[in-house]
Amino acid sequence: MKPIKFLSLLLHFSLALFHATVAHEPPPSGTSIIFATLGRLDYAFDIFTLPTGDPPSKTNELQITDGESVNFNGHFPSPSPSLLSLLANKTLIKPPGQQNPPPLNLIYVTERGGSSNIFYDAVYVDTPRSARSRSALEIPTRVQVPLLNGKGGLSMKDKPTVSGDYLVYVSTHEDPGEPRTSWAAVYATELTTGFTRRLTPHGIADFSPAVSPSGVYTAVASYGEKGWSGEVEELSTDIYIFLTCDGTNRVKVVEHGGWPNWVDESTLYFHRRSVEDNWISVYKATLPSQGPISIESVIVERVTPPGLHAFTPATSPGNNKFIAVATRRPNSDYRHIELFDLVKNEFIQLTRCRGATSDKKSTHLLLENVKSPLPDISLFRIDGSFPSFAPAGDRIAYVDFPGLYVVNRDGSNRKQVFTGMAFSTAWNPARKGIVYTSAGPTFASESTEVDIISINVDDDLGQINSFKKLTSNGENNAFPAVSPDGKWVVFRSGRSGHKNLYIMDALEGEKGGLYRLTEGPWSDTMSNWSPDGEWIAFASDRESPGSGSFELFLIHPNGTGLRKLVQSGSAGRANHPSFSPDGNSIVFTSDYGGISAEPISNPHHYQPYGEIFTVKLDGSDLKRLTHNSYEDGTPAWGPTYIKPKDVEWPGYGPQCSFEECHWLNKMPVLGHGAAPWDPTRPQCGSASP
């Protein structure tokens, strides 16, 4: 099933993305990295059409993408000669008047094959609407063409538009060289030659580009030179316009706004949070017909009323009758798509929550292959959090909030070994089947009771929740990591009033021996022990205690040799280090790459940033592995190479759950002018939309 039915006219629900790279044959000594992305494997997206002139219903929706991976941010292009020249099957190109009906042409972003790409689809629907299939999966004649053919290499692609001979889009393939600076920039690629020009000035990040109907102007949401300040909800971007041909004549036209969309050459719609009543609403910006364009000369008017959140507007060229918007109403748990009648100033509901359905084609994945930029490392997203490899690399432990599970890496023999709330996992390298975890609430204070426990996952009795408690004081003991000889566990504890690192006996816990490794009025946490036993890597805010800014450090187990490994940048975060099997590098998660898309266009993530990086122990050779707008985290580096193919859950039927952005739950006092959601219509409870 798909959680939200798209009106493909909308350029909504940017789930932004990650990587494209060439295929490599891995050497025998290859390894694998697995990591978590909050909820990503629990939902799927496809693009749907829905006629705006008919009463909306399930029967006149048409799915036009094929259900492969996630597909989003669709745009209807004019099928220009340059676009049609890319089609391998020229027999599908018919002269005007001979196509009955003409194909549906679509440009969209897809994450199929483990990489982010932009596709052109031409779907030939040769049946009348009354007999039309709901799904493109049942339409035999279709064309799919990847448009960039590796252009930009490993990067996130987003918000594509075809304008004449050019494809305009966001890509994250250029490193600005500054920590916590977004790599997102707008590019234009000539379809026939592949010639690509960067339209965003260097040192600037642009999001959500929209090309004017004539193709002359492009509008973007951008911080300009001020940069990202770390916000995780609505961005404090402004609206800029510039010439599509070369990015020049760049002018700020609106302060505080996102997701621009043109209706004509002088009219833009966008969204922002109203300072008057705190509702996110759609606004209109009218550019002057004569004279210079500036913030002072642009007229800004509010379009949608208070009483609901309305965002990510979309319209079609010259359409002054209505705009399509995503809405979040106070008495609905999910966003929906509605038309806002610009003449009558009222909403028309288009989509509604239908609850869970069965999609026989969909599969649920344990491991989703993500294209890796490194030929000797395979990269996977796991359906869980805090994964860790068994010493032989054949099994994976992970948590699922609540509960701790162990599964073979091929998806078989999954079993729950602990039902309580747990986070972080670590295997004992010398004691087969022994897994350590932190049992207790997450993101808790120093004095909150959290304990390190060990679990024999191969317990012959098969008893669930059979564990050994290793800590005794109940003062937030968490993030265990085991020495390579299996004798010691390093962990963080709040027992002194601050979260510092301690080392205890791996078998008997504190009773068998305990000593303090770090000391200070800061937080040292998320430790990992090197394979040779020489180093412990950890994250710390010691350079700015309590700020939320974390860097990576190395220290010898005897407390000597402390040095910083990764500098996060002002107020940045580098967390969850994990050593490579050879001990020469570390994989970690960081916001070094800033933010890549407007968070409101995503499902919920606690922080809509965080990518996976590797670095050598001397701090050199920093490499970014993932490119997307999700929250990638808690990576683990395993000793064996897993073939870069998706791993499905055996016998695990398709499920889909879409979790709305938590911050959209914040509803101001209900204002006037917006009718509440009709309670007689179907609403979503625990079922996903």
Side-chain angles (χ1 to χ4, degrees):
M1 66 154 291
K2 304 297 177 247
I4 295 210
K5 312 307 183 192
F6 277 5
L7 174 70
S8 60
L9 159 66
L10 297 178
L11 305 177
H12 283 145
F13 277 143
S14 152
L15 291 183
L17 356 131
F18 36 106
H19 6 320
T21 187
V22 295
H24 298 275
E25 280 296 320
S29 59
T31 58
S32 300
I33 293 173
I34 54 178
F35 63 94
T37 304
L38 181 66
R40 169 60 181 78
L41 294 180
D42 291 329
Y43 56 79
F45 285 89
D46 274 291
I47 299 175
F48 290 72
T49 61
L50 185 65
T52 58
D54 296 348
S57 72
K58 181 177 179 179
T59 59
N60 56 16
E61 289 178 354
L62 174 66
Q63 179 186 330
I64 56 175
T65 51
D66 59 7
E68 186 74 22
S69 188
V70 292
N71 307 288
F72 51 92
N73 274 351
H75 161 70
F76 285 132
S78 298
S80 65
S82 296
L83 192 60
L84 296 177
S85 69
L86 302 177
L87 301 182
N89 186 355
K90 299 297 193 295
T91 63
L92 293 175
I93 305 174
K94 300 178 182 179
Q98 295 186 19
Q99 303 176 69
N100 186 25
L104 287 169
N105 293 281
L106 178 70
I107 303 292
Y108 62 100
V109 178
T110 182
E111 295 183 4
R112 66 194 63 211
S115 65
S116 169
N117 208 340
I118 296 173
F119 267 45
Y120 165 52
D121 268 23
V123 181
Y124 287 78
V125 184
D126 55 4
T127 56
R129 181 180 300 165
S130 60
R132 185 179 290 179
S133 303
R134 276 201 71 232
S135 173
L137 304 177
E138 302 172 22
I139 300 173
T141 307
R142 66 181 300 124
V143 177
Q144 290 182 326
V145 179
L147 293 184
L148 293 177
N149 293 321
K151 180 70 66 175
L154 177 69
S155 65
M156 185 196 90
K157 315 293 194 306
D158 197 17
K159 284 295 258 104
T161 300
V162 168
S163 180
D165 295 332
Y166 287 87
L167 175 69
V168 179
Y169 57 99
V170 168
S171 179
T172 60
H173 66 266
E174 288 189 276
D175 182 357
E178 293 290 331
R180 300 192 81 231
T181 300
S182 175
W183 297 24
V186 176
Y187 298 82
T189 295
E190 191 172 13
L191 292 170
T192 53
T193 67
F195 172 77
T196 299
R197 182 193 299 272
R198 179 180 172 122
L199 303 182
T200 300
H202 288 279
I204 302 295
D206 286 340
F207 313 100
S208 311
V211 181
S212 68
S214 69
V216 172
Y217 294 107
T218 293
V220 295
S222 179
Y223 291 108
E225 296 182 355
K226 62 185 179 183
W228 177 53
S229 61
E231 63 261 40
V232 299
E233 299 182 1
E234 187 204 7
L235 301 186
S236 58
T237 51
D238 304 318
I239 306 295
Y240 290 77
I241 65 171
F242 49 77
L243 292 178
T244 306
C245 61
D246 59 7
T248 60
N249 291 10
R250 185 180 176 100
V251 179
K252 184 195 293 188
V253 295
V254 172
E255 285 193 335
H256 186 198
W259 206 271
N261 196 268
W262 298 86
V263 65
D264 56 46
E265 296 302 299
S266 62
T267 309
L268 278 167
Y269 290 98
F270 64 95
H271 65 218
R272 72 179 177 200
R273 189 181 294 274
S274 168
V275 295
E276 291 84 9
D277 49 44
N278 217 30
W279 292 99
I280 300 173
S281 300
V282 174
Y283 289 75
K284 181 174 73 171
T286 304
L287 281 56
S289 57
Q290 295 181 342
I293 299 175
S294 66
I295 294 176
E296 291 74 21
S297 65
V298 173
I299 300 173
V300 175
E301 305 169 83
R302 187 172 184 170
V303 175
T304 57
L308 77 168
H309 293 311
F311 44 94
T312 56
T315 186
S316 53
N319 179 6
N320 294 307
K321 295 181 179 179
F322 61 83
I323 56 173
V325 297
T327 63
R328 180 69 190 283
R329 291 178 176 268
N331 53 346
S332 177
D333 291 334
Y334 302 94
R335 65 184 74 183
H336 294 270
I337 296 170
E338 301 187 55
L339 294 182
F340 184 72
D341 190 312
L342 296 168
V343 178
K344 298 180 180 179
N345 290 327
E346 63 184 24
F347 287 95
I348 303 170
Q349 180 186 347
L350 286 184
T351 63
R352 66 183 66 179
C353 175
R354 304 192 192 287
T357 61
S358 176
D359 183 346
K360 295 181 180 179
K361 183 179 184 298
S362 296
T363 55
H364 199 81
L365 302 179
L366 166 65
L367 299 176
E368 179 186 36
N369 171 49
V370 175
K371 286 289 180 67
S372 172
L374 306 176
D376 58 343
I377 298 176
S378 58
L379 192 60
F380 293 90
R381 177 179 287 118
I382 188 171
D383 185 24
S385 296
F386 294 99
S388 63
F389 282 100
D394 57 339
R395 291 190 289 177
I396 298 170
Y398 68 95
V399 300
D400 203 19
F401 300 122
L404 189 149
Y405 297 79
V406 173
V407 64
N408 293 342
R409 75 179 198 194
D410 64 359
S412 63
N413 197 29
R414 174 180 180 264
K415 63 178 180 179
Q416 186 175 20
V417 296
F418 183 69
T419 60
M421 180 62 73
F423 59 99
S424 79
T425 63
W427 296 76
N428 190 307
R431 297 175 60 208
K432 186 177 184 298
I434 302 300
V435 174
Y436 301 82
T437 190
S438 323
T442 60
F443 300 107
S445 67
E446 286 81 357
S447 61
T448 301
E449 182 174 357
V450 181
D451 282 297
I452 305 297
I453 63 173
S454 65
I455 303 171
N456 184 351
V457 301
D458 295 329
D459 183 359
D460 292 336
L461 298 178
Q463 294 180 342
I464 197 169
N465 291 333
S466 176
F467 60 86
K468 185 174 184 177
K469 185 178 174 182
L470 301 180
T471 52
S472 58
N473 70 342
E475 298 289 333
N476 205 331
N477 306 288
F479 293 107
V482 192
S483 61
D485 61 7
K487 295 180 179 180
W488 302 96
V489 172
V490 60
F491 64 103
R492 78 110 195 268
S493 177
R495 64 189 63 206
S496 70
H498 302 286
K499 295 176 180 177
N500 295 149
L501 298 184
Y502 294 77
I503 294 178
M504 66 179 173
D505 184 89
L507 179 61
E508 297 299 328
E510 292 183 23
K511 293 183 296 184
L514 174 75
Y515 70 90
R516 186 169 186 168
L517 181 61
T518 64
E519 183 174 358
W522 49 67
S523 291
D524 298 329
T525 186
M526 304 174 191
S527 51
N528 190 258
W529 214 309
S530 67
D532 62 5
E534 287 295 312
W535 292 103
I536 290 171
F538 64 98
S540 177
D541 70 349
R542 59 179 55 212
E543 294 192 345
S544 183
S547 67
S549 178
F550 282 82
E551 279 82 30
L552 296 187
F553 291 81
L554 293 171
I555 192 171
H556 291 304
N558 64 4
T560 66
L562 176 71
R563 64 182 173 89
K564 181 161 60 175
L565 177 64
V566 173
Q567 172 68 43
S568 299
S570 176
R573 296 182 183 181
N575 290 325
H576 302 292
S578 174
F579 279 92
S580 60
D582 63 10
N584 294 328
S585 300
I586 282 177
V587 63
F588 63 100
T589 184
S590 176
D591 63 354
Y592 179 94
I595 201 163
S596 297
E598 295 191 53
I600 201 170
S601 61
N602 271 344
H604 174 66
H605 294 283
Y606 288 106
Q607 50 192 38
Y609 56 83
E611 307 289 342
I612 306 301
F613 290 80
T614 59
V615 67
K616 291 185 177 178
L617 286 197
D618 61 3
S620 67
D621 201 25
L622 180 70
K623 285 187 171 67
R624 180 175 177 174
L625 303 191
T626 63
H627 290 250
N628 57 68
S629 63
Y630 314 135
E631 180 187 356
D632 294 338
T634 64
W637 206 325
T640 57
Y641 187 89
I642 303 174
K643 188 175 181 180
K645 294 181 63 177
D646 293 343
V647 177
E648 299 178 8
W649 286 110
Y652 198 126
Q655 294 187 354
C656 217
S657 62
F658 173 84
E659 188 174 11
E660 179 60 281
C661 297
H662 287 180
W663 49 274
L664 282 176
N665 291 329
K666 302 173 185 176
M667 297 287 176
V669 176
L670 185 64
H672 299 290
W677 201 260
D678 185 349
T680 64
R681 292 174 174 169
Q683 292 294 301
C684 287
S686 59
S688 59

